Structures are given as structure tokens and as C-alpha cells.
Amino acid sequence: MKPTENEVVRKLLHTMHLPRPTAGLALGPGDDAALLAPRPGYQSILTCDWFLEGTHFLRDKHPADSIGWKCLARAVSDVAAMGGRPRGFLLSLALPVSCTGRWLVDFGGGLRRACVELGCPLAGGDTTQRDEILINVAVVGEVRTGKALTRSGAQPGDAIFVSGRLGEAERGLELLRRMRQVRGSDRALRKHLYPEPRLALGQWLSEHRMATAIMDLSDGLSTDLPRLCAASGVGARIQAASLPAVSPIAHANSGKGSRSKTAQRNTSELAWNSKAIELALNGGDDYELLFTVRPYKARRLPTRIGRIPITRIGEITRERKLLLVQADGSEQSLKEGGWNPFAAKSR
Amino acid sequence: MKPTENEVVRKLLHTMHLPRPTAGLALGPGDDAALLAPRPGYQSILTCDWFLEGTHFLRDKHPADSIGWKCLARAVSDVAAMGGRPRGFLLSLALPVSCTGRWLVDFGGGLRRACVELGCPLAGGDTTQRDEILINVAVVGEVRTGKALTRSGAQPGDAIFVSGRLGEAERGLELLRRMRQVRGSDRALRKHLYPEPRLALGQWLSEHRMATAIMDLSDGLSTDLPRLCAASGVGARIQAASLPAVSPIAHANSGKGSRSKTAQRNTSELAWNSKAIELALNGGDDYELLFTVRPYKARRLPTRIGRIPITRIGEITRERKLLLVQADGSEQSLKEGGWNPFAAKSR
């Protein structure tokens, strides 16, 4: 027998062990809308993200638990890119009837972990039936008034930094596509299945007034950097050899094996690997932070902030061009090769 | 040539004549997230709504302009049901490439009118490509702290009211399904294509502390009233003869003709019409307000609040049953016959 909408909602809330109303919210799920009490001296951050079967994930490949984690983590990443903290989220979920059983329980488990680890309770949402799994997450966050970080403040001469490693999620996706049986615990898949928004780093950069411009890398550096530059009215020169790239995975069915090989290679070797450079430039879904820092401050930046490595990859230029400097010193224009949903069919 | 995501976003913003940032928002569309400055003494209202091709509208039947209006209006209706005011919204839009031309311009026109008339500026959103049109709208509103109206305060003896007429949107949908060529200007379709959230009524009820419980009617009275009763831990008795029902449309291809006939009938005749009662009980998409009022206050309520008629349709009971009293005095249990997405295939 087909469940009612009320039953699907009750099952999800039960799976997530949610009290009503959720702590931290004046009114949580169950009414026409949720109520959140903003703190004095703070602005609200608003952001939303699609997460769609066939476009952003594959039902037969991606574990439901990972879909639950990632739909929230990627939306929260935009809050990190503003230097803020998440306060709550709305979940819009459209499901086939066949996903209202075990799938929903696993999905709710991953979502619940993300709620707890990211400090972002479920405030409400909307549920309906659909042949494909459609997810939309809207997050409300907060940032102290005047402390929000935007894309538009980069100035010529600023140093450009990225957090973490670039291309790791795309490498995971390439591996996952070739796997018969996906294990969520596979370490080579972790960045793709369970990305971690850089909340602490974003807050550190905001509190220390360190970043002139910032955004999160969701579509790939070669597509996202032009957006930051356009918002700031500047250009950029990127050093290919400086990119914190990863090794491509050589063998289709052995994440672990290829990872231990990876560990044996050294960083300079990786930087020369054209596949790794391509992944770093064009790979999507990393949810690392891209930010710019005034040169006199850049010299004092540590190589890690918290536990997250940060790497200087180039500088902002007055001329509104995007250039990639190869290891031999030759320059070429940086082509947008990241994720464009109106060109690609699926991630 | 296929457009890029940036181009689609620019076109929509241009169609909507949006300055950047939008007035009323600290930071509007174009960055990782939007910034909203909450007012001291107010709580934030959060709500979201799916609006999906095939489920909630038909691409070949519903004018793009109406889809733009309705996707925002129905989400804002939840803010009305809390007694609040909208402050801004996030638009998540997934479009086929074939809808990035004329369709997008018309959609943007309807959405822009809704923004202006409902006082709810676009704050941001997410855009992607998809074979079917998928829309999700998240609205942030505000209500003075302590003044929010919820579903959970109804008490035995309270009078039950609804605003406007019930079943008018469903009647419009039935007509639209039978039409070869849909004219957005057809008055019989107006409630279905361009519903008006009852913002002023919701605010009036909140300011005058008039409603003990309230919700908006989106899925139909017979499905929504049990939700209000469950939240309040009560039952209800509804008088069929009191329902502000509409006349069913007799002729398939002439909304105007059947409307003028409708006007000739008197209200008591309508109340006896089983089709009209069925529409009033089970028709979705009306976005009228359902609310309960303490009996001593109910006697003093006017028959209109602002320009919106309000009608007393029954009373809240201690016994947790939902009963429908027929015109002959016989009682039957009220069956949930409204919109359930997990049973129905399309609206």
C-alpha cells in the first residue's frame, strides 16, 4: 500500500531522531513554516542547492547514506564561504514510492550525521512523490553584521589561496563510475561521497579579516575562479605547478591499491602529471575554499589553518584575463572546463 | 548553442529588472549566499515548496507567466499562515535548454509581478539543466516575536473559519484540463493560475490575537483540517451547508458562459450541490486560510476582513473525530480526499 505524505514525513523525522520542535529553533518541522530567532548583531545567510538524481548523483551507485550527508554538506559549504555558521535548513524531498522504505532510513541516517556534525538542525521542508529522487536544501546561517565575506573584494596584487586538495572528489567520482559495488567506507571515495564544508576555516578568515574575497569550489577552479574575478572586476594568474593536485587513480577496481601507490609518489611528481592538473582545474564537488589575501598578510599566513592545509596558487591581476602559467614559464589562457549543467548531462 | 549557467541566471535577473543587490537585502543574488538583516524584535519564518512539472503544473497547459507567479505565491502563503510578512526568497530552477528562451522571459515576468505585489524580493538561488521543469522556492519571512500563529492552539468549542471560497482553484484546474488553448486572462482560471496568499488577513489575525490555530489550505480542507486537529490534539465538526462552495463549471469550453450562469444561482442552491461540496472539501490549491477562534471572539468577527470574506464552517470538538454534518442533520466521518502526492500521479 502506498504511504501518505504524512507517513513519509513521520518516518523521516523518526529516522533522524528529531524531537519537536528541534532544539535551537523556536519552531521546528510540523507547522506551515519554521521559526528561527535571529541573534542581535547578526545577519542571516540564505542559500540553496539542487541535488538531483541523474544530474548530481546516481541511485544505483551512490549510497543513500552519502546522499543524505552530501545534500546538506554542499549547501552548508556556501555558508562557510560567507564566513558564517549554519542555523537550520529546509529539506525539499521528492521520492519514488520504492524509496520510502530502506532507502529513506539510510538517507535519514546520513542526513542526521550531517545535521549533528555541521551543527545545522532540520527546520522544515516539503515532501512529494516523483519517479526520480529530487532534493533541494535551503540553509539559513548567521554571520556577525559587517563580517560576511563575499566574492567581490579581490584587488590586484592579492595572493590567491585554496584549501585542501583539488580534484579529489572528481577522482573519486571517476573511480565510483567504474566500480561494480560501491563501498561508502572506501577512502578514495570519501571526498566525493562525504565532502566536508570548511566552516572553521571560513569563520577564521572572517574573524581575522584575512580574506578580501572568497567562494567555495563547487564546479571546479577553472569555472569558479572566473566568477570570483568577475565579481571583483579583476583578473588572475595561476601557477600550474603550485596547484595542490592529487594523483589520478590508475586501476579501476582497487581504490586502496592505487591510493597506496599514490602515497609513494611525491608532490612535485604529481604537479607534473597533466591528468592531476586537469582534475585540479576542472574537477567539481571539492567544496574547498578559494580566497584572496592582501600580499602583506599573505606572507604571515600559516600553511595550515586548523587541520586544513592552505596553498598559495597565484595572484590577482589588474588586467581582466585568466592565465595559467605552466611549469616551463609559458602562459596560456585558463579555459572554463568545470561543471556547466547546460552543457553536461550528468555529474 | 547551449547557454551556460551564468547566461541563464543573467537572463532571468535581466527579465526581472533586478538591481544588484536587491533593495531590502544586505546582499542579493550573485554571491555564494544572500544576506538579510533581521529586524530586532522579530523572528524569522522559514518555508519552502516544490513546484514540479507533471506533478503541480503541465508545461503545455499552464502559461509560463502563471508558473512564475504561482511558484512564489504558494510558498508565501505559508508565511501568511504564520501571521508574518515575506522578506525575500531563494529560487531553485531546473530547466530544459528549450525553456531558456521565450519561456524563461515569460516565467520571469510572472515571478517579477509576484515579487512586487507580495513584497518579496529575490535573494538568490540555484540553476541547473534538466529535461523537466523543476522549481523549488524557499521563503524567509518575519513576524514579531511571540506573535506567530501556529496549527497547534485550537481548543474545544473554538469556531472554525475559512477565508474566500473553497474549490475555486480545483474547478479552474478541471476547466483548464479540458481547454485546447489556455488564456491566462480567463477569470474562471484566475484562482488556479494566480492564487493570492492571504497576507493581510494573516497579519490582521496575528495583530488582533484573534486565531488560536491557523494554516493555509493547499491540499484541500478534508486533508488539511485533520493536520490542524492533530497538531492541536482536538477533533472538529464541519457543517456542509456552511461551506463557501463554488458552482462546478457545466460547459467544457466556455468559462465565461458557465460563470454567468453561476451568478444566477443562489448560495443555498450551491450548498446542496454535491459536486460543489466535494470541490470545497477536497479541492487543492486554494491558498485560503483555515483558522479557529475562541467562541466569545467569534461572535464579534466581521464577515469580511479587509476585502476577504470569512465564513464560519464548524467548531472544534474535544473528541478527536472529524465529522461532516449534512444539511439534513445526519453526521458522517470526514474522509481525507484532498491531495496526497504518494497516491495521485499529477495535480
Side-chain angles (χ1 to χ4, degrees), chain A residues 32 36 44 53 55 130 216, chain B residues 32 36 44 53 55 130 216:
Chain A
D32 287 277
L36 189 72
S44 298
E53 177 179 349
T55 302
R130 194 81 183 173
D216 71 325
Chain B
D32 287 278
L36 189 72
S44 298
E53 178 179 348
T55 301
R130 194 82 183 171
D216 71 324

Side-chain angles (χ1 to χ4, degrees), chain A residues 10-66:
Chain A
R10 271 198 297 271
K11 185 167 189 171
L12 180 66
L13 295 181
H14 177 75
T15 300
M16 294 181 69
H17 306 285
L18 280 183
R20 291 185 174 199
T22 307
L25 290 165
L27 182 68
D31 217 292
D32 287 277
L35 287 175
L36 189 72
R39 289 198 288 173
Y42 284 79
Q43 289 179 317
S44 298
I45 299 171
L46 313 177
T47 182
C48 61
D49 259 325
W50 282 121
F51 201 46
L52 304 173
E53 177 179 349
T55 302
H56 302 103
F57 64 87
L58 306 165
R59 201 194 307 183
D60 60 345
K61 289 283 190 181
H62 287 84
D65 173 79
S66 140

Side-chain angles (χ1 to χ4, degrees), chain B residues 170 218-224 281-284 335-341 343-344 347:
Chain B
E170 191 80 18
S218 55
D219 293 344
L221 182 67
S222 70
T223 292
D224 288 329
L281 289 172
N282 302 330
K335 287 198 191 73
E336 286 195 28
W339 168 247
N340 173 20
R347 168 142 265 166

Side-chain angles (χ1 to χ4, degrees), chain A residues 54-227:
Chain A
T55 302
H56 302 103
F57 64 87
L58 306 165
R59 201 194 307 183
D60 60 345
K61 289 283 190 181
H62 287 84
D65 173 79
S66 140
I67 295 169
W69 171 280
K70 194 169 172 176
C71 72
L72 180 58
R74 61 207 295 277
V76 165
S77 178
D78 286 321
V79 175
M82 304 295 286
R85 277 166 220 277
R87 291 288 313 271
F89 75 103
L90 300 171
L91 173 70
S92 297
L93 189 61
L95 287 182
V97 173
S98 62
C99 287
T100 57
R102 180 75 215 176
W103 190 94
L104 185 62
V105 172
D106 289 347
F107 171 83
L111 185 59
R112 180 177 185 275
R113 278 198 306 115
C115 286
V116 172
E117 291 194 25
L118 306 177
C120 186
L122 179 67
D126 190 21
T127 309
T128 194
Q129 195 245 312
R130 194 81 183 173
D131 289 342
E132 289 174 304
I133 304 168
L134 310 178
I135 303 170
N136 192 279
V137 169
V139 176
V140 176
E142 66 173 15
V143 63
R144 208 177 280 277
T145 302
K147 291 274 194 167
L149 302 172
T150 67
R151 297 178 179 183
S152 57
Q155 297 167 50
D158 283 1
I160 304 172
F161 287 85
V162 292
S163 65
R165 287 200 290 174
L166 302 186
E168 203 171 355
E170 191 79 19
R171 190 190 60 174
L173 173 60
E174 287 185 3
L175 176 64
L176 176 137
R177 282 183 189 280
R178 293 194 302 259
M179 288 169 103
R180 292 252 172 79
Q181 179 93 38
V182 175
R183 295 182 309 273
S185 59
D186 193 323
R187 288 181 64 190
L189 301 182
R190 187 187 289 172
K191 184 81 171 275
H192 174 68
L193 296 179
Y194 303 98
E196 292 180 22
R198 300 309 188 193
L199 283 167
L201 174 58
Q203 287 158 24
W204 189 93
L205 292 169
S206 160
E207 281 157 22
H208 292 77
R209 297 191 176 279
M210 196 57 79
T212 51
I214 187 170
M215 70 183 295
D216 71 325
L217 291 169
S218 54
D219 293 344
L221 182 66
S222 69
T223 292
D224 287 330
L225 179 61
R227 290 173 173 154

Side-chain angles (χ1 to χ4, degrees), chain B residues 128-256:
Chain B
T128 195
Q129 198 245 312
R130 194 82 183 171
D131 289 341
E132 289 174 305
I133 303 168
L134 311 178
I135 302 170
N136 192 280
V137 169
V139 176
V140 176
E142 66 173 15
V143 63
R144 209 177 279 278
T145 301
K147 291 273 193 165
L149 302 171
T150 67
R151 297 179 179 182
S152 56
Q155 297 167 52
D158 283 1
I160 303 173
F161 287 85
V162 292
S163 64
R165 288 200 288 175
L166 301 186
E168 204 171 352
E170 191 80 18
R171 188 190 62 174
L173 173 61
E174 289 185 3
L175 175 65
L176 176 137
R177 283 184 189 279
R178 293 194 302 260
M179 288 169 102
R180 292 253 171 78
Q181 178 93 37
V182 175
R183 295 182 310 272
S185 58
D186 193 323
R187 289 180 65 189
L189 301 182
R190 187 187 289 171
K191 183 79 172 274
H192 174 68
L193 297 179
Y194 303 98
E196 291 179 24
R198 301 307 189 193
L199 283 167
L201 173 58
Q203 288 158 23
W204 189 92
L205 293 169
S206 161
E207 281 156 22
H208 292 77
R209 297 191 175 280
M210 195 56 77
T212 51
I214 186 170
M215 71 183 295
D216 71 324
L217 291 170
S218 55
D219 293 344
L221 182 67
S222 70
T223 292
D224 288 329
L225 178 62
R227 291 173 173 153
L228 184 144
C229 286
S232 296
V234 295
R237 183 184 286 110
I238 299 297
Q239 308 291 333
S242 301
L243 293 171
V246 292
S247 162
I249 289 167
H251 302 289
N253 292 312
S254 166
K256 276 195 179 164

